[in-house]
Amino acid sequence: MSPELLKNNSQYKNVLSIMDSSEWLLFITTFIRRKNPITRTYWIYLLVGLIGGIYILFNYDLVSIESRFWIVGITGGLLISLLVSPVLHELIHALIFRFFGASSIKFKWNWNLFRFNVQANDFVLSKKKYFFTCIITFFLFSILPFVLAFYTDGILLFTLLSLSFFHALYAMKDLAVCSYLYKFPNCYIYSSEENKTIFYKSIP
């Protein structure tokens, strides 16, 4: 659906607009705590990842090893999740947005949210397409490293587990949006040229 059709279609109503970092922060903290299958799966994933890492650390008595390579691995995964995966994460989002028809895309580092953002200007994305976009990046940078970690050992094991966990934290904004959209059966996200994100839902 084009932006013009969405904004002029009486079947759809503007239910929420988000403009700046403070509004996004409030949005994220509100909807990542909503109880639905998306947030339950997300928190279970984080819990399993954290418990799994601690179990490996103590079960194999790695704490007492003099080299403590696990420190290097966890630090490496954290650095990758801060410096590398956010850029790749948002670049993949941008490519998907381009594929779905976005003509203009801006990249910007947001210090308040401590994340690298991509903004498609004057662009409409459906709920299903947004879910698809989030699933791709979450799979590539969280689920896939978590699975691959159990086929490795040493520093690489903890690097992959660390990347998986910290990228999942980075993806909290995506999951909060998915949590918000979950309750609406038919809805769209509109990104304006003024960097405003507007949510539209269908009126029964």
Side-chain angles (χ1 to χ4, degrees), residues 110-175:
N110 189 317
W111 284 105
N112 293 328
L113 296 178
F114 203 73
R115 59 177 294 124
F116 188 67
N117 284 333
V118 57
Q119 181 79 20
N121 298 323
D122 197 31
F123 174 61
V124 174
L125 198 65
S126 69
K127 172 182 175 178
K128 290 182 179 179
K129 290 179 179 178
Y130 186 84
F131 277 25
F132 170 79
T133 303
C134 295
I135 289 171
I136 291 294
T137 49
F138 197 85
F139 173 80
L140 289 176
F141 301 112
S142 281
I143 297 176
L144 186 59
F146 183 79
V147 173
L148 292 176
F150 292 94
Y151 294 93
T152 63
D153 54 21
I155 293 176
L156 186 56
L157 166 65
F158 283 96
T159 299
L160 290 172
L161 287 177
S162 177
L163 170 61
S164 171
F165 181 80
F166 287 115
H167 174 267
L169 294 179
Y170 175 84
M172 191 175 290
K173 177 184 175 182
D174 295 345
L175 274 295

Coordinates of all heavy atoms in Angstrom, one line a residue, residues 110-175:
N110 N 22.0 6.7 17.2 CA 21.2 7.3 18.2 C 21.9 7.0 19.5 O 21.9 5.9 20.1 CB 19.8 6.7 18.2 CG 18.8 7.4 19.1 OD1 19.2 7.8 20.2 ND2 17.6 7.6 18.7
W111 N 22.5 8.1 20.1 CA 23.2 8.0 21.4 C 22.3 7.7 22.6 O 22.7 7.0 23.5 CB 24.0 9.2 21.6 CG 25.3 9.3 20.8 CD1 25.5 10.1 19.7 CD2 26.5 8.5 20.9 NE1 26.7 9.8 19.2 CE2 27.4 8.9 19.9 CE3 26.9 7.5 21.8 CZ2 28.6 8.3 19.8 CZ3 28.1 7.0 21.7 CH2 29.0 7.4 20.7
N112 N 21.1 8.2 22.5 CA 20.1 8.0 23.6 C 19.7 6.6 23.8 O 19.6 6.1 24.9 CB 18.9 8.9 23.5 CG 19.3 10.4 23.6 OD1 20.2 10.8 24.4 ND2 18.6 11.3 22.9
L113 N 19.5 6.0 22.6 CA 19.1 4.5 22.7 C 20.3 3.6 22.5 O 20.2 2.4 22.6 CB 18.1 4.3 21.5 CG 16.7 5.0 21.7 CD1 15.8 4.6 20.5 CD2 16.0 4.6 23.0
F114 N 21.4 4.2 22.2 CA 22.7 3.5 22.0 C 22.5 2.5 20.9 O 22.8 1.3 21.1 CB 23.2 2.9 23.2 CG 24.7 2.7 23.2 CD1 25.6 3.7 23.3 CD2 25.2 1.4 23.0 CE1 27.0 3.5 23.2 CE2 26.6 1.2 23.0 CZ 27.5 2.3 23.1
R115 N 22.0 2.9 19.7 CA 21.8 2.0 18.6 C 21.9 2.7 17.3 O 21.8 3.9 17.2 CB 20.5 1.3 18.7 CG 19.2 2.2 18.8 CD 17.9 1.4 18.8 NE 17.7 0.7 17.6 CZ 17.5 -0.6 17.5 NH1 17.5 -1.3 18.6 NH2 17.3 -1.3 16.4
F116 N 22.2 1.9 16.3 CA 22.3 2.4 14.9 C 21.0 2.3 14.2 O 20.4 1.1 14.2 CB 23.4 1.6 14.2 CG 23.8 2.1 12.8 CD1 24.4 3.3 12.7 CD2 23.5 1.3 11.7 CE1 24.8 3.8 11.4 CE2 23.8 1.8 10.4 CZ 24.5 3.0 10.3
N117 N 20.4 3.4 13.8 CA 19.0 3.3 13.2 C 19.0 3.5 11.7 O 19.8 4.2 11.2 CB 18.2 4.4 13.9 CG 17.8 4.1 15.3 OD1 17.7 2.9 15.6 ND2 17.5 5.1 16.1
V118 N 18.0 2.9 11.1 CA 17.8 3.1 9.7 C 16.4 3.6 9.6 O 15.4 3.1 10.2 CB 18.0 1.8 8.9 CG1 17.1 0.7 9.4 CG2 17.7 2.0 7.4
Q119 N 16.2 4.7 8.8 CA 14.9 5.3 8.6 C 14.5 5.4 7.1 O 15.2 6.0 6.4 CB 14.8 6.7 9.2 CG 13.5 7.4 9.1 CD 12.5 7.0 10.2 OE1 12.9 6.4 11.2 NE2 11.2 7.2 9.9
A120 N 13.5 4.7 6.7 CA 13.0 4.8 5.4 C 12.0 5.9 5.3 O 11.0 5.9 6.0 CB 12.3 3.4 4.9
N121 N 12.2 6.9 4.4 CA 11.4 8.1 4.4 C 10.1 7.9 3.5 O 10.3 7.3 2.4 CB 12.2 9.3 3.9 CG 13.3 9.6 4.8 OD1 13.2 9.5 6.0 ND2 14.4 10.0 4.2
D122 N 9.0 8.3 4.0 CA 7.7 8.2 3.2 C 7.5 6.8 2.7 O 7.3 6.5 1.5 CB 7.7 9.2 2.1 CG 6.3 9.5 1.5 OD1 5.4 9.4 2.3 OD2 6.2 9.7 0.3
F123 N 7.5 5.9 3.7 CA 7.4 4.4 3.3 C 6.5 3.7 4.2 O 6.4 4.0 5.4 CB 8.8 3.8 3.5 CG 8.9 2.4 3.3 CD1 8.6 1.8 2.1 CD2 9.4 1.5 4.3 CE1 8.7 0.4 1.9 CE2 9.5 0.2 4.1 CZ 9.1 -0.4 2.9
V124 N 5.7 2.8 3.7 CA 4.7 2.0 4.4 C 5.1 0.5 4.4 O 5.5 0.0 3.4 CB 3.3 2.1 3.8 CG1 2.3 1.2 4.5 CG2 2.8 3.6 3.9
L125 N 5.1 -0.1 5.6 CA 5.4 -1.5 5.8 C 4.2 -2.2 6.5 O 3.8 -1.7 7.5 CB 6.7 -1.6 6.5 CG 7.4 -3.0 6.4 CD1 7.9 -3.2 5.0 CD2 8.6 -3.0 7.4
S126 N 3.8 -3.3 6.0 CA 2.7 -4.0 6.6 C 3.3 -4.8 7.9 O 4.5 -5.0 8.0 CB 2.1 -5.0 5.7 OG 3.0 -6.1 5.3
K127 N 2.3 -5.2 8.7 CA 2.7 -6.0 9.9 C 3.5 -7.2 9.5 O 4.5 -7.6 10.1 CB 1.4 -6.3 10.6 CG 1.6 -7.3 11.8 CD 0.3 -7.6 12.4 CE 0.4 -8.7 13.5 NZ -0.9 -8.9 14.2
K128 N 3.0 -8.0 8.5 CA 3.6 -9.2 8.1 C 5.1 -9.0 7.6 O 6.0 -9.7 7.9 CB 2.8 -9.9 7.1 CG 1.5 -10.5 7.6 CD 0.8 -11.2 6.5 CE -0.5 -11.8 7.0 NZ -1.3 -12.5 5.9
K129 N 5.2 -7.9 6.8 CA 6.6 -7.6 6.3 C 7.5 -7.2 7.4 O 8.7 -7.5 7.3 CB 6.5 -6.6 5.2 CG 5.8 -7.1 3.9 CD 5.7 -6.0 2.9 CE 5.0 -6.5 1.6 NZ 4.8 -5.4 0.6
Y130 N 7.0 -6.5 8.4 CA 7.9 -6.0 9.5 C 8.3 -7.2 10.3 O 9.4 -7.4 10.7 CB 7.1 -5.0 10.4 CG 8.0 -4.5 11.4 CD1 8.9 -3.4 11.2 CD2 8.1 -5.0 12.7 CE1 9.8 -2.9 12.1 CE2 8.9 -4.5 13.7 CZ 9.8 -3.5 13.4 OH 10.6 -3.0 14.3
F131 N 7.3 -8.2 10.6 CA 7.7 -9.4 11.3 C 8.7 -10.2 10.5 O 9.7 -10.7 11.1 CB 6.4 -10.3 11.5 CG 5.6 -9.9 12.6 CD1 5.6 -8.6 13.1 CD2 4.7 -10.8 13.2 CE1 4.8 -8.2 14.2 CE2 3.9 -10.4 14.3 CZ 4.0 -9.1 14.8
F132 N 8.6 -10.3 9.2 CA 9.6 -11.0 8.4 C 11.0 -10.3 8.5 O 12.0 -11.0 8.7 CB 9.1 -11.0 6.9 CG 10.2 -11.4 6.0 CD1 10.4 -12.8 5.8 CD2 10.9 -10.5 5.2 CE1 11.3 -13.3 4.9 CE2 11.9 -11.0 4.3 CZ 12.1 -12.4 4.2
T133 N 11.0 -9.0 8.5 CA 12.3 -8.3 8.6 C 13.0 -8.6 9.9 O 14.2 -8.8 10.0 CB 12.0 -6.8 8.4 OG1 11.4 -6.5 7.2 CG2 13.3 -6.0 8.5
C134 N 12.2 -8.5 11.0 CA 12.7 -8.8 12.3 C 13.2 -10.2 12.5 O 14.2 -10.5 13.2 CB 11.7 -8.4 13.4 SG 11.3 -6.7 13.5
I135 N 12.5 -11.2 12.0 CA 12.8 -12.6 12.1 C 14.2 -12.8 11.4 O 15.0 -13.6 11.9 CB 11.7 -13.5 11.5 CG1 10.5 -13.5 12.4 CG2 12.2 -14.9 11.3 CD1 9.3 -14.1 11.8
I136 N 14.4 -12.2 10.2 CA 15.6 -12.4 9.5 C 16.8 -12.0 10.3 O 17.8 -12.8 10.5 CB 15.6 -11.7 8.2 CG1 14.6 -12.2 7.2 CG2 17.0 -11.6 7.5 CD1 14.9 -13.6 6.7
T137 N 16.8 -10.8 10.9 CA 18.0 -10.3 11.6 C 18.1 -11.0 13.0 O 19.3 -11.3 13.4 CB 17.9 -8.8 11.8 OG1 16.6 -8.5 12.3 CG2 18.1 -8.1 10.5
F138 N 17.0 -11.3 13.6 CA 17.1 -12.0 14.9 C 17.7 -13.5 14.7 O 18.5 -13.9 15.5 CB 15.8 -12.1 15.6 CG 15.9 -12.5 17.1 CD1 16.1 -11.5 18.0 CD2 15.8 -13.8 17.5 CE1 16.2 -11.8 19.3 CE2 15.9 -14.1 18.9 CZ 16.1 -13.1 19.8
F139 N 17.3 -14.1 13.6 CA 17.8 -15.4 13.3 C 19.3 -15.4 13.0 O 20.1 -16.2 13.5 CB 17.1 -16.0 12.1 CG 17.7 -17.3 11.6 CD1 17.4 -18.5 12.3 CD2 18.5 -17.4 10.5 CE1 18.0 -19.7 11.9 CE2 19.1 -18.6 10.1 CZ 18.8 -19.7 10.8
L140 N 19.7 -14.4 12.2 CA 21.1 -14.3 11.7 C 22.1 -14.0 12.9 O 23.2 -14.5 12.9 CB 21.3 -13.3 10.6 CG 20.7 -13.7 9.3 CD1 20.8 -12.5 8.3 CD2 21.4 -14.9 8.7
F141 N 21.7 -13.1 13.8 CA 22.6 -12.5 14.8 C 22.4 -13.0 16.2 O 23.2 -12.7 17.1 CB 22.7 -11.0 14.7 CG 23.0 -10.5 13.4 CD1 22.1 -9.8 12.6 CD2 24.3 -10.7 12.9 CE1 22.5 -9.3 11.3 CE2 24.7 -10.2 11.6 CZ 23.7 -9.5 10.9
S142 N 21.3 -13.7 16.4 CA 21.1 -14.3 17.8 C 20.9 -15.8 17.7 O 21.6 -16.5 18.4 CB 19.8 -13.6 18.4 OG 20.1 -12.3 18.9
I143 N 19.9 -16.3 17.0 CA 19.7 -17.7 17.0 C 20.8 -18.5 16.4 O 21.3 -19.5 16.9 CB 18.3 -18.0 16.3 CG1 17.2 -17.4 17.1 CG2 18.1 -19.5 16.2 CD1 15.8 -17.5 16.4
L144 N 21.2 -18.1 15.2 CA 22.3 -18.8 14.5 C 23.6 -18.9 15.3 O 24.2 -20.0 15.4 CB 22.5 -18.2 13.1 CG 23.5 -18.9 12.2 CD1 23.0 -20.3 11.9 CD2 23.7 -18.2 10.9
P145 N 24.1 -17.7 15.8 CA 25.3 -17.8 16.7 C 25.1 -18.8 17.9 O 26.0 -19.5 18.3 CB 25.5 -16.4 17.1 CG 24.9 -15.6 16.1 CD 23.7 -16.3 15.7
F146 N 23.9 -18.7 18.5 CA 23.6 -19.6 19.6 C 23.7 -21.1 19.3 O 24.3 -21.9 20.0 CB 22.2 -19.3 20.2 CG 21.9 -20.1 21.4 CD1 22.4 -19.7 22.7 CD2 21.1 -21.2 21.3 CE1 22.0 -20.4 23.8 CE2 20.8 -21.9 22.5 CZ 21.2 -21.5 23.7
V147 N 23.2 -21.4 18.1 CA 23.2 -22.8 17.6 C 24.7 -23.2 17.3 O 25.2 -24.3 17.7 CB 22.3 -23.0 16.4 CG1 22.5 -24.4 15.8 CG2 20.9 -22.8 16.8
L148 N 25.4 -22.3 16.5 CA 26.7 -22.6 16.1 C 27.7 -22.8 17.3 O 28.7 -23.5 17.2 CB 27.2 -21.5 15.2 CG 26.6 -21.5 13.8 CD1 27.1 -20.3 13.0 CD2 26.8 -22.8 13.0
A149 N 27.4 -22.1 18.4 CA 28.3 -22.1 19.6 C 28.5 -23.5 20.1 O 29.6 -23.8 20.6 CB 27.7 -21.2 20.7
F150 N 27.5 -24.4 20.0 CA 27.6 -25.7 20.5 C 28.3 -26.7 19.6 O 28.5 -27.9 19.9 CB 26.2 -26.2 20.8 CG 25.5 -25.5 22.0 CD1 24.7 -24.4 21.7 CD2 25.8 -25.9 23.3 CE1 24.1 -23.7 22.8 CE2 25.2 -25.2 24.3 CZ 24.4 -24.1 24.1
Y151 N 28.8 -26.1 18.5 CA 29.7 -26.9 17.6 C 31.1 -26.4 17.6 O 31.9 -26.8 16.8 CB 29.2 -26.8 16.1 CG 27.8 -27.5 16.0 CD1 26.6 -26.8 16.1 CD2 27.7 -28.9 15.7 CE1 25.4 -27.4 15.9 CE2 26.5 -29.5 15.5 CZ 25.3 -28.8 15.6 OH 24.1 -29.4 15.5
T152 N 31.4 -25.5 18.6 CA 32.7 -25.0 18.8 C 33.2 -25.1 20.2 O 32.5 -25.7 21.0 CB 32.7 -23.5 18.4 OG1 31.8 -22.8 19.3 CG2 32.2 -23.2 17.0
D153 N 34.3 -24.6 20.5 CA 34.8 -24.6 21.9 C 35.8 -23.4 22.1 O 36.1 -22.7 21.1 CB 35.5 -25.9 22.2 CG 36.6 -26.3 21.3 OD1 37.1 -25.4 20.6 OD2 36.9 -27.5 21.2
G154 N 36.3 -23.3 23.3 CA 37.3 -22.2 23.5 C 36.7 -20.9 23.4 O 35.5 -20.6 23.7
I155 N 37.5 -19.9 22.9 CA 37.1 -18.5 22.8 C 35.9 -18.4 21.9 O 35.0 -17.6 22.1 CB 38.3 -17.7 22.3 CG1 39.4 -17.7 23.3 CG2 37.9 -16.3 21.9 CD1 40.7 -16.9 22.9
L156 N 35.9 -19.1 20.8 CA 34.8 -19.0 19.8 C 33.5 -19.3 20.4 O 32.5 -18.7 20.1 CB 35.1 -19.8 18.6 CG 34.2 -19.7 17.4 CD1 34.1 -18.2 16.9 CD2 34.6 -20.6 16.2
L157 N 33.5 -20.3 21.2 CA 32.2 -20.7 21.9 C 31.6 -19.6 22.7 O 30.4 -19.3 22.5 CB 32.5 -21.9 22.9 CG 31.4 -22.2 23.9 CD1 30.2 -22.7 23.2 CD2 31.9 -23.3 24.9
F158 N 32.4 -18.9 23.5 CA 31.9 -17.8 24.3 C 31.7 -16.6 23.5 O 30.8 -15.7 23.8 CB 32.8 -17.6 25.5 CG 32.7 -18.6 26.6 CD1 33.6 -19.6 26.6 CD2 31.7 -18.5 27.5 CE1 33.4 -20.6 27.6 CE2 31.5 -19.4 28.5 CZ 32.4 -20.5 28.6
T159 N 32.4 -16.4 22.4 CA 32.2 -15.3 21.5 C 30.8 -15.4 20.9 O 30.0 -14.4 20.8 CB 33.3 -15.2 20.4 OG1 34.5 -15.0 21.0 CG2 33.0 -14.0 19.5
L160 N 30.5 -16.5 20.4 CA 29.2 -16.7 19.8 C 28.0 -16.6 20.8 O 27.0 -16.0 20.5 CB 29.1 -18.1 19.1 CG 30.0 -18.2 17.8 CD1 30.1 -19.7 17.3 CD2 29.5 -17.3 16.7
L161 N 28.2 -17.2 21.9 CA 27.2 -17.1 23.0 C 27.0 -15.7 23.4 O 25.8 -15.2 23.6 CB 27.5 -18.0 24.2 CG 27.4 -19.5 24.0 CD1 27.9 -20.2 25.3 CD2 26.0 -19.9 23.7
S162 N 28.0 -14.9 23.5 CA 28.0 -13.5 23.9 C 27.3 -12.7 22.8 O 26.4 -11.9 23.1 CB 29.4 -13.0 24.2 OG 29.4 -11.6 24.5
L163 N 27.7 -12.9 21.6 CA 27.0 -12.2 20.5 C 25.5 -12.5 20.4 O 24.7 -11.6 20.3 CB 27.7 -12.7 19.2 CG 27.0 -12.2 17.9 CD1 27.0 -10.7 17.8 CD2 27.7 -12.8 16.6
S164 N 25.2 -13.8 20.6 CA 23.8 -14.1 20.6 C 23.0 -13.4 21.6 O 21.9 -12.9 21.4 CB 23.7 -15.7 20.8 OG 22.3 -16.0 21.0
F165 N 23.5 -13.3 22.9 CA 22.8 -12.7 24.0 C 22.7 -11.2 23.8 O 21.7 -10.6 23.9 CB 23.5 -13.1 25.3 CG 22.9 -12.5 26.5 CD1 21.8 -13.1 27.1 CD2 23.4 -11.4 27.1 CE1 21.1 -12.6 28.2 CE2 22.7 -10.8 28.2 CZ 21.6 -11.4 28.8
F166 N 23.9 -10.6 23.5 CA 23.9 -9.1 23.5 C 23.1 -8.6 22.2 O 22.6 -7.5 22.3 CB 25.3 -8.6 23.5 CG 25.9 -8.7 24.9 CD1 27.0 -9.5 25.1 CD2 25.4 -8.0 26.0 CE1 27.6 -9.7 26.3 CE2 26.0 -8.1 27.2 CZ 27.1 -9.0 27.4
H167 N 23.2 -9.3 21.1 CA 22.4 -8.9 20.0 C 20.9 -9.0 20.3 O 20.1 -8.1 19.8 CB 22.7 -9.7 18.7 CG 21.8 -9.3 17.6 ND1 20.6 -10.0 17.3 CD2 21.8 -8.3 16.7 CE1 20.0 -9.4 16.3 NE2 20.7 -8.4 15.9
A168 N 20.5 -10.0 21.1 CA 19.1 -10.1 21.5 C 18.6 -8.9 22.3 O 17.5 -8.4 22.1 CB 18.9 -11.4 22.3
L169 N 19.5 -8.3 23.1 CA 19.2 -7.1 23.8 C 19.1 -5.9 22.9 O 18.3 -5.1 23.0 CB 20.3 -6.8 24.9 CG 20.4 -7.8 26.0 CD1 21.6 -7.4 27.0 CD2 19.1 -7.9 26.8
Y170 N 20.0 -5.9 21.9 CA 20.0 -4.8 20.9 C 18.7 -4.9 20.1 O 18.1 -3.8 19.8 CB 21.2 -5.0 19.9 CG 21.1 -4.0 18.8 CD1 21.7 -2.7 18.9 CD2 20.6 -4.3 17.5 CE1 21.6 -1.8 17.9 CE2 20.5 -3.4 16.5 CZ 21.1 -2.1 16.7 OH 21.0 -1.2 15.7
A171 N 18.2 -6.0 19.8 CA 16.9 -6.2 19.1 C 15.7 -5.9 19.9 O 14.6 -6.2 19.3 CB 16.9 -7.6 18.5
M172 N 15.8 -5.5 21.1 CA 14.6 -5.2 21.9 C 13.7 -4.3 21.3 O 12.4 -4.4 21.4 CB 15.1 -4.7 23.3 CG 14.0 -4.7 24.3 SD 14.5 -4.2 26.0 CE 15.5 -5.7 26.4
K173 N 14.2 -3.3 20.6 CA 13.2 -2.3 19.9 C 12.4 -3.0 18.9 O 11.2 -2.8 18.8 CB 14.0 -1.2 19.2 CG 13.2 -0.2 18.5 CD 14.0 0.8 17.7 CE 13.1 1.7 16.9 NZ 13.9 2.7 16.1
D174 N 13.0 -3.9 18.1 CA 12.2 -4.6 17.1 C 11.2 -5.5 17.7 O 10.0 -5.6 17.3 CB 13.2 -5.5 16.2 CG 14.2 -4.7 15.4 OD1 14.0 -3.5 15.2 OD2 15.2 -5.3 14.9
L175 N 11.6 -6.2 18.8 CA 10.6 -7.0 19.5 C 9.5 -6.3 20.2 O 8.3 -6.7 20.2 CB 11.3 -7.9 20.5 CG 12.0 -9.2 20.0 CD1 10.9 -10.2 19.5 CD2 13.0 -9.0 18.9

